[in-house]
Amino acid sequence: MTPEPASLLVVSMTQVAQEIPTSIIPPPPFLITADGLDELNYNAQAVGHQTSGVTAPPEKFATAAATSAKQDIGGIGSARTASDSGLIRIPDGYKAKTCAAKILTRKSDDAEKVAVNVGNRSALTEGEGVDEENFDLNDETGSVPWGIEAWNLNSYSVTFDIKCERTTALFQEWQQATYKKILAAYKQKLAKYENKVHQAEVESDAAIEQRNAASNHQNINDELIGAIDMGEQGIPDIDFGKADEQGTIARLFEQAFEWEEMGRRSEWLNALKFNEFLKAGMCRVVLPTRVGFETAVNHSLENGELWRGGLLPRIASSEYLPIADELASRLRRPANEEEQGDSWDVHVPSSLIQLRLSGDLPKWEKKLCLADTRCWDIY
C-alpha cells in the first residue's frame, strides 16, 4: 500500500499555483505611522501610495496684528490724554508666543508718555519719536487683549505684531487626517492586488482541472512509480557512490514490472479519476509482473534479496531484458499476447450522420439542366 500517493504531485501543483505572475506587482509596503508623518516625508508617502487629496501640514508659525492711532488729541495739560483697547484674535490651532509693539508719538508738552499693555505684559515709553517694546507672552489661545494710554501728546500710532506657534494638537490632527488618506489608498491598491492574485489562483486551479486526461493518467503512473522507487527520499541529489548500489534496485523495479500496462483497461481509468487520486489517503498498487521475472520478484518479496541474492542478470540470462524490448513495450509494440476470456464490442461515438438507409455510397450523374447548363444528380 502506498500512503497518500499524490502528496508530491499535490505539493508541486500547489507551489505552481501559488507562484504569483511577475506581471502582478504588489503595492509598496505600508510602514509609516501617524505620528511618523512630518513635513519632510508626507509627500513621498502620498506619491508612493498614489494618494489624492493630501494637503500640506499647517505652517509652524503664524502672525496676528492690531493697530491703534489717535490724531489731534485735544485738551490742555493733563486733559490731553487718549486711550484705546481691543482684542487680537489668535488663529485656530496656534498659541501666542511673543509680541512686538511699535510706537510712534508726536509731542505737545514736555511730559509726553505712552503706556501699552498686551496680555498681562505692559511697558511705558516717554519722549517723542519711534520706539519698540518686545514682550514674551504666555501661550494664549483664542485672543489676546491689548490697551493703550497716552498723555500730553498731539498724536500717536501703535502697532502690535504677535508671533504665533502651531500647537501640538493642530499638527496631530493633520497627521491623523493625512495618515487615514494614505492608508485608504494603500488598502485600495492592496485589495486590487489581492483580487488579481486570487484570480490568477483560480485560473491556475481551472488549468489543473482542465488538464488532458491522458496527461493526468501519465501523472498518476509517474507518481505511483516514484512512490515505490523513492519512498521518503523525495527527489535525491546525484550521489555517484550510491548510484551503483541503488542501480540494482532500480533495475529490478524498472524491468520486472510492466509499468506501461498500469491502468491500461478502461475499468481502471473510470474507477480512478484524477480528482479522487489527488484526495486519496491510501492507494493500493497492483503491479503486472513481466513474463520471466516472476521468480525474481517472489524471491525479493519473501527474502528481501534482489535478483535472488545474486548479481545483475547477464546478457545470456533469461532474466535479462534488452533495452530495445523495454523501449518497444513502452511504445506499445504488439507482443505475443494471448486472448483471455470472451471478446466484447466497443461502440465509438461519431460526428458523422447516415442519411441513406441502404448504407451504400451515393452515385453522381451528369445531366442537362435549365438554361442549357450542366449539373449533377445524385441517386
Side-chain angles (χ1 to χ4, degrees), residues 200-212:
E201 292 174 350
V202 171
E203 293 175 357
S204 177
D205 293 341
I208 293 175
E209 293 178 0
Q210 296 170 4
R211 288 169 60 95
N212 182 272

Side-chain angles (χ1 to χ4, degrees), residues 266-286:
S266 59
E267 291 86 354
W268 170 277
L269 292 175
N270 292 334
L272 188 59
K273 296 180 181 179
F274 190 60
N275 287 338
E276 295 176 357
F277 170 75
L278 296 179
K279 296 182 291 185
M282 188 71 70
C283 179
R284 183 175 127 186
V285 181
V286 180

Side-chain angles (χ1 to χ4, degrees), residues 244-245 247-249 251-252 255 293 296 299 305-315 317-320:
D244 186 59
E245 175 186 348
T248 303
I249 303 174
R251 182 168 173 179
L252 174 64
Q255 295 185 353
F293 286 82
H299 183 87
E305 296 178 342
L306 302 176
W307 302 108
R308 290 180 290 184
L311 300 175
L312 290 173
R314 304 293 182 180
I315 294 179
S317 172
S318 60
E319 293 179 346
Y320 178 81

Side-chain angles (χ1 to χ4, degrees), residues 239-358:
D239 187 335
F240 293 100
K242 295 182 179 180
D244 186 59
E245 175 186 348
Q246 296 178 349
T248 303
I249 303 174
R251 182 168 173 179
L252 174 64
F253 280 98
E254 283 292 332
Q255 295 185 353
F257 302 106
E258 295 179 318
W259 298 103
E260 64 275 4
E261 299 298 328
M262 288 182 60
R264 189 166 187 175
R265 294 194 55 181
S266 59
E267 291 86 354
W268 170 277
L269 292 175
N270 292 334
L272 188 59
K273 296 180 181 179
F274 190 60
N275 287 338
E276 295 176 357
F277 170 75
L278 296 179
K279 296 182 291 185
M282 188 71 70
C283 179
R284 183 175 127 186
V285 181
V286 180
L287 300 178
T289 305
R290 196 180 304 275
V291 176
F293 286 82
E294 299 91 338
T295 303
V297 172
N298 286 332
H299 183 87
S300 177
L301 294 175
E302 293 175 359
N303 302 298
E305 296 178 342
L306 302 176
W307 302 108
R308 290 180 290 184
L311 300 175
L312 290 173
R314 304 293 182 180
I315 294 179
S317 172
S318 60
E319 293 179 346
Y320 178 81
L321 178 65
I323 184 64
D325 293 344
E326 185 176 357
L327 293 176
S329 63
R330 289 181 178 272
L331 296 175
R332 302 299 177 92
R333 183 194 66 178
N336 299 323
E337 293 90 352
E338 296 182 4
E339 183 176 333
Q340 302 291 329
D342 298 332
S343 61
W344 63 88
D345 295 331
V346 178
H347 297 275
V348 180
S350 172
S351 59
L352 300 177
I353 300 176
Q354 179 180 343
L355 299 178
R356 301 166 62 89
L357 297 178
S358 62

Side-chain angles (χ1 to χ4, degrees), residues 107-374:
K107 71 177 182 176
S108 63
D109 297 315
D110 293 333
E112 61 274 8
K113 296 179 182 180
V114 176
V116 294
N117 301 285
V118 180
N120 60 355
R121 307 293 183 177
S122 61
L124 179 65
T125 63
E126 299 181 8
E128 179 183 23
V130 179
D131 194 6
E132 181 173 333
E133 298 290 340
N134 293 287
F135 309 97
D136 290 328
L137 301 180
N138 296 321
D139 296 341
E140 293 92 338
T141 59
S143 62
V144 176
W146 59 269
I148 301 172
E149 190 75 23
W151 298 273
N152 302 322
L153 293 172
N154 285 333
S155 62
Y156 73 84
S157 175
V158 179
T159 301
F160 299 96
D161 287 321
I162 296 180
K163 183 178 182 180
C164 306
E165 186 180 43
R166 181 182 62 203
T167 62
T168 301
L170 178 63
F171 188 65
Q172 289 177 344
E173 181 180 346
W174 170 85
Q175 286 179 317
Q176 290 293 336
T178 304
Y179 175 81
K180 289 180 180 179
K181 291 179 181 178
I182 298 176
L183 180 60
Y186 166 76
K187 288 183 176 180
Q188 184 177 9
K189 291 180 65 66
L190 181 62
K192 291 181 179 180
Y193 166 75
E194 291 175 344
N195 287 337
K196 291 181 180 180
V197 172
H198 176 69
Q199 183 63 31
E201 292 174 350
V202 171
E203 293 175 357
S204 177
D205 293 341
I208 293 175
E209 293 178 0
Q210 296 170 4
R211 288 169 60 95
N212 182 272
S215 175
N216 289 338
H217 175 54
Q218 184 62 45
N219 281 331
I220 293 175
N221 285 353
D222 293 343
E223 292 302 311
L224 292 177
I225 294 173
I228 294 175
D229 285 348
M230 296 298 185
E232 298 180 356
Q233 297 180 26
I235 302 175
D237 295 330
I238 297 178
D239 187 335
F240 293 100
K242 295 182 179 180
D244 186 59
E245 175 186 348
Q246 296 178 349
T248 303
I249 303 174
R251 182 168 173 179
L252 174 64
F253 280 98
E254 283 292 332
Q255 295 185 353
F257 302 106
E258 295 179 318
W259 298 103
E260 64 275 4
E261 299 298 328
M262 288 182 60
R264 189 166 187 175
R265 294 194 55 181
S266 59
E267 291 86 354
W268 170 277
L269 292 175
N270 292 334
L272 188 59
K273 296 180 181 179
F274 190 60
N275 287 338
E276 295 176 357
F277 170 75
L278 296 179
K279 296 182 291 185
M282 188 71 70
C283 179
R284 183 175 127 186
V285 181
V286 180
L287 300 178
T289 305
R290 196 180 304 275
V291 176
F293 286 82
E294 299 91 338
T295 303
V297 172
N298 286 332
H299 183 87
S300 177
L301 294 175
E302 293 175 359
N303 302 298
E305 296 178 342
L306 302 176
W307 302 108
R308 290 180 290 184
L311 300 175
L312 290 173
R314 304 293 182 180
I315 294 179
S317 172
S318 60
E319 293 179 346
Y320 178 81
L321 178 65
I323 184 64
D325 293 344
E326 185 176 357
L327 293 176
S329 63
R330 289 181 178 272
L331 296 175
R332 302 299 177 92
R333 183 194 66 178
N336 299 323
E337 293 90 352
E338 296 182 4
E339 183 176 333
Q340 302 291 329
D342 298 332
S343 61
W344 63 88
D345 295 331
V346 178
H347 297 275
V348 180
S350 172
S351 59
L352 300 177
I353 300 176
Q354 179 180 343
L355 299 178
R356 301 166 62 89
L357 297 178
S358 62
D360 299 331
L361 293 176
K363 296 181 179 180
W364 297 83
E365 181 177 307
K366 195 174 185 180
K367 67 177 184 178
L368 183 64
C369 299
L370 298 177
D372 196 24
T373 59
R374 297 285 181 177

